[in-house]
Amino acid sequence: MAIIGIDLGTTNSLGAAVRDGEVVLIPNRFGSYLTPSVVSVDGEGTIEVGEIAKERMVTHPEYTAFSFKRDMGTEKKWKLGRRTFTPEELSSFVLRSIFDDARAFLGEEIEEAVISVPAYFHDKQRVATKRAGLLAGIPVKRIINEPSAAALASYVETGEEKLYCVFDFGGGTLDISIVDCFDTMVEIVSVAGNNRLGGDDFNRLIAEAFLRDHGIKKSAIGRREFAILIRAAEKCKIALTDQDPAEMTVTLNDRTFTSTFTNERLMELSGDLFGKIKDALARALKGGSFRASEIDAIVMAGGSSRMPLVQSFVQHLFGGKPIILSNPDELIARGLGTVCGIMSRSGEVKDYVMADICPFTLGTQTHNKADSSNPFMTPIISRNTALPCSRSQRFFTSSDNQSLVSIQILQGEHPYAKDDLKLGEIEVPVPKAPAGKESVDVRFTYDIDGILIADVKVTSTGLAVSKVISDEVTGEQLEKRISELNALKLEPKEEAENKVLIEKLEALFEEAEPDLRETVQNRLKTFLALLEKQNERKIRKYREYLVQFLDRTELDDPFDSIFDTELPEEEPEEEETWGGADFFRSDGNDPFGGKGGSWMS
Ligand code: ADP
Ligand code: MG
């Protein structure tokens, strides 16, 4: 029985575990570590997760959900075709897919999971994350803050006591945390960020510049073409990580356009974004009353930290402080793997204590004399207070003969209650008396697992009422939904591999320039014909070949290192021929000969 850790990201998710005392990342069914956090429903109502679903963002946007992590803990519903899902259900599919991969990889059952969430996630979002785990059939033992996991990984890997600034720059969010690591403590001391800033913004800027280059109005292209444009922009951005300049070619309305981008050009385009990065960093430092010079090292996490521009900008801001940077998009998972090790006490991992702060203010609503219809939010536990913590405050009745006091449990940084998030409510009766004579003591206790306990005690009568905010994780409804979701079938591995190839070919067809299109279409036809014949061996061979083919046409995708396998030397025996098939046509040893082969440089 194993414990696994999962970095359930907005853009990508990945799992880690401990095997023979070592932290290992869990490869997914396609052999890569990152599984896109994308869910799609196909024509037969089957749930697709990850790579396949990501391809369907272009081909079937109306059946595909992404970035749903942003909506965790809200009532938002995603409609995919005829089905409707909550954000936690969508997340449960991603989790289920990773659990399945972990089972296959580790060769044992998964007993429980540790999942990371952003430090600023409030209670409802944490509860929703736990429920997603339950819906996927695995109890979530602990919720760990992403920066704690990132800092822990860096701390364990470098072994040095440090005040870290964890800079986690993903697809759509920037999370910054100041984390103090000393002895066996990993303590978050301040958090700040921007949950509308990430790699996606660079994609958008590149796409817009591309349109400007060619005098095309955004309104002149359709939704699907825009999706293709954005994908090409992302590829161009990723290419700029290892090469400068990089070319971007997109076919729009049957015409093919090319632009050249350099890092310098990207820097000019994204001045605004860098300003926002600086703001977030400044807020995190100020929140803990630190100066940049006090930070010992910057830990870079998240896929967007792979951008040379981002690295040099951060380095420049911190005046040459050491930067800890290695496979930033896997860092949080590595930290979670370490946590799994601590929990199962296996191997060499030391016992670390993860200390946290409350990343937001918790308080209650109080009377506003100037405008009784617009009550104030009065803080009880302030943002950045060390956890676990317990704070109490006394509140008095505001009107004569008041017989009931209603305590709202609020979370947020806004001065008026209406703008903050309501987590719950407690009502207690009080004896009738003149205003201000009766009072209640309100105590909030918040612990490291994100559980808030609110206690209200009436001073005169001693009546006490208590409410646990996170206590929403059980119940019949949940059971029912678990069995419903389990009934939805996830793809078996082989079929999933075939499907992802088909989706990739279809997406490539849409993106490709006209002369490549023909080749792509031929390969697609061949593959579909093979599938129809159900000749497993040939399917397998052709699948390998297609993987190579796609790999060559997507040279600038750094995640696809799994596709580095050698091409099959022998061609499959030619027993039958298929319409449109070009694979079995012999043109020398190089199966890439002809258009497919000579197309790329
Ligand atoms: P999240 O935490 O949002 O789930 P990740 O940490 O996986 O996401 O980061 C995803 C983002 O990283 C995407 O915007 C992607 O384009 C970007 N990214 C990944 N690799 C690179 C690279 N080599 N260069 C630039 N950006 C990259
Ligand atoms: Mg992330």
Side-chain angles (χ1 to χ4, degrees):
M1 294 289 245
I3 306 177
I4 69 164
I6 298 174
D7 169 8
L8 184 60
T10 312
T11 322
N12 294 303
S13 298
L14 72 158
V18 172
R19 200 158 71 171
D20 305 327
E22 298 247 345
V23 171
V24 287
L25 296 178
I26 294 164
N28 65 19
R29 59 202 70 183
F30 305 111
S32 59
Y33 293 132
L34 297 180
T35 294
S37 306
V38 184
V39 172
S40 188
V41 177
D42 76 4
E44 289 116 53
T46 304
I47 306 290
E48 316 275 11
V49 175
E51 204 59 51
I52 312 180
K54 189 176 175 183
E55 296 296 335
R56 287 171 62 87
M57 280 165 70
V58 174
T59 55
H60 300 85
E62 65 280 20
Y63 293 94
T64 309
F66 57 93
S67 292
F68 36 82
K69 178 175 173 180
R70 288 185 200 285
D71 305 317
M72 284 294 266
T74 70
E75 302 297 303
K76 178 168 173 175
K77 294 275 194 303
W78 283 80
K79 200 165 179 303
L80 307 186
R82 275 175 297 135
R83 289 179 187 279
T84 308
F85 299 102
T86 64
E88 63 192 60
E89 288 167 355
L90 293 168
S91 301
S92 83
F93 295 133
V94 177
L95 291 176
R96 212 177 348 144
S97 159
I98 291 177
F99 290 150
D100 290 347
D101 292 333
R103 248 181 237 116
F105 175 69
L106 299 170
E108 54 184 326
E109 275 308 306
I110 314 300
E111 189 179 17
E112 50 197 25
V114 178
I115 300 182
S116 58
V117 299
Y120 61 79
F121 251 30
H122 56 64
D123 227 64
K124 282 192 174 171
Q125 293 167 302
R126 285 163 198 259
V127 170
T129 306
K130 284 188 179 172
R131 288 170 63 107
L134 276 184
L135 287 169
I138 306 282
V140 178
K141 182 73 176 175
R142 255 189 106 159
I143 297 283
I144 305 278
N145 286 325
E146 289 166 4
S148 305
L152 181 68
S154 306
Y155 186 29
V156 170
E157 284 165 22
T158 63
E160 284 175 62
E161 300 201 346
K162 289 217 160 110
L163 185 63
Y164 288 118
C165 172
V166 178
F167 179 91
D168 179 3
F169 200 18
T173 54
L174 171 63
D175 300 328
I176 293 166
S177 321
I178 311 297
V179 185
D180 198 3
C181 297
F182 59 99
D183 198 13
T184 55
M185 288 287 283
V186 174
E187 188 175 356
I188 301 189
V189 284
S190 172
V191 294
N194 185 332
N195 64 359
R196 295 279 156 189
L197 185 66
D200 296 349
D201 294 291
F202 291 98
N203 305 347
R204 184 178 41 80
L205 289 172
I206 292 173
E208 285 167 2
F210 185 92
L211 291 180
R212 275 198 308 277
D213 282 355
H214 304 289
I216 305 168
K217 285 215 178 68
K218 204 171 151 185
S219 54
I221 58 170
R223 183 174 163 182
R224 190 171 278 205
E225 285 189 307
F226 191 71
I228 290 169
L229 178 69
I230 289 284
R231 274 173 60 118
E234 181 174 28
K235 277 191 192 162
C236 174
K237 174 190 75 178
I238 290 176
L240 281 173
T241 300
D242 324 289
Q243 78 188 62
D244 201 345
E247 269 196 0
M248 171 171 165
T249 300
V250 185
T251 304
L252 298 169
N253 296 335
D254 286 333
R255 279 185 60 198
T256 302
F257 303 94
T258 298
S259 278
T260 303
F261 285 87
T262 57
N263 274 303
E264 196 178 335
R265 181 169 184 210
L266 183 55
M267 186 169 76
E268 283 159 16
L269 291 171
S270 45
D272 260 12
L273 302 188
F274 285 101
K276 288 180 182 167
I277 293 175
K278 189 176 172 188
D279 284 350
L281 277 165
R283 270 184 285 119
L285 288 168
K286 283 188 199 149
S289 306
F290 292 111
R291 304 206 53 79
S293 56
E294 289 174 81
I295 302 293
D296 296 316
I298 298 103
V299 174
M300 299 198 74
S304 299
S305 283
R306 288 186 186 265
M307 293 177 69
L309 280 180
V310 171
Q311 290 163 15
S312 58
F313 182 69
V314 170
Q315 202 145 28
H316 157 79
L317 281 182
F318 280 89
K321 289 273 173 181
I323 303 276
I324 299 176
L325 176 78
S326 85
N327 294 342
D329 31 20
E330 299 166 3
L331 186 66
I332 289 169
R334 296 208 298 272
L336 292 173
T338 305
V339 173
C340 295
I342 295 167
M343 287 171 55
S344 58
R345 311 233 172 258
S346 58
E348 291 294 287
V349 260
K350 276 199 284 177
D351 212 345
Y352 291 88
V353 179
M354 313 279 273
D356 259 340
I357 47 154
C358 184
F360 34 70
T361 302
L362 295 163
T364 188
Q365 128 178 15
T366 51
H367 185 61
N368 175 357
K369 280 199 182 108
D371 177 3
S372 63
S373 68
N374 192 18
F376 289 121
M377 149 77 154
T378 300
I380 296 179
I381 293 178
S382 305
R383 201 188 133 95
N384 284 353
T385 304
L387 295 181
C389 72
S390 188
R391 299 278 152 86
S392 173
Q393 261 193 53
R394 182 162 290 185
F395 297 94
F396 296 88
T397 49
S398 58
S399 51
D400 290 339
N401 294 323
Q402 186 174 339
S403 59
L404 197 69
V405 175
S406 158
I407 308 292
Q408 310 273 325
I409 303 161
L410 301 173
Q411 182 219 298
E413 314 306 321
H414 303 284
Y416 297 107
K418 67 168 180 1
D419 301 322
D420 290 302
L421 179 74
K422 183 175 159 181
L423 299 174
E425 184 176 10
I426 298 177
E427 286 191 340
V428 286
V430 290
K432 287 187 182 170
K437 279 279 175 252
E438 282 295 324
S439 62
V440 294
D441 285 329
V442 178
R443 173 176 292 279
F444 282 1
T445 307
Y446 194 78
D447 82 4
I448 210 163
D449 282 326
I451 294 170
L452 172 65
I453 302 167
D455 297 298
V456 178
K457 191 170 173 187
V458 182
T459 325
S460 63
T461 62
L463 174 77
V465 179
S466 181
K467 186 161 189 162
V468 181
I469 297 296
S470 284
D471 215 2
E472 301 167 28
V473 187
T474 49
E476 260 173 54
Q477 251 190 326
L478 187 66
E479 294 288 315
K480 189 164 160 264
R481 195 59 182 159
I482 289 175
S483 58
E484 277 170 19
L485 292 181
N486 279 336
L488 289 176
K489 129 170 122 32
L490 286 195
E491 211 68 47
K493 184 171 184 276
E494 292 266 300
E495 266 173 53
E497 281 175 9
N498 296 339
K499 266 200 176 154
V500 82
L501 285 174
I502 293 170
E503 297 281 354
K504 279 196 169 178
L505 287 169
E506 284 171 5
L508 182 60
F509 179 82
E510 299 206 17
E511 285 168 36
E513 291 157 65
D515 57 342
L516 178 65
R517 277 195 164 185
E518 197 192 318
T519 314
V520 174
Q521 193 171 43
N522 283 338
R523 291 190 185 174
L524 183 61
K525 278 186 193 158
T526 308
F527 193 46
L528 291 174
L530 281 173
L531 289 175
E532 187 136 340
K533 299 259 177 202
Q534 296 187 9
N535 180 331
E536 281 308 319
R537 197 178 62 84
K538 286 203 168 179
I539 293 173
R540 212 167 42 240
K541 269 238 143 118
Y542 200 67
R543 201 159 57 210
E544 274 170 25
Y545 166 72
L546 283 179
V547 161
Q548 295 280 334
F549 167 70
L550 287 165
D551 190 26
R552 300 264 179 123
T553 55
E554 288 184 6
L555 270 183
D556 44 0
D557 186 348
F559 297 135
D560 281 348
S561 55
I562 29 145
F563 294 151
D564 286 346
T565 46
E566 286 288 302
L567 255 187
E569 292 224 314
E570 280 174 40
E571 291 178 349
E573 301 147 38
E574 193 160 351
E575 292 166 355
E576 294 162 289
T577 52
W578 289 282
D582 58 354
F583 176 61
F584 300 104
R585 234 181 273 146
S586 178
D587 44 12
N589 277 336
D590 179 14
F592 295 112
K595 284 175 190 158
S598 59
W599 170 76
M600 14 74 35
S601 58

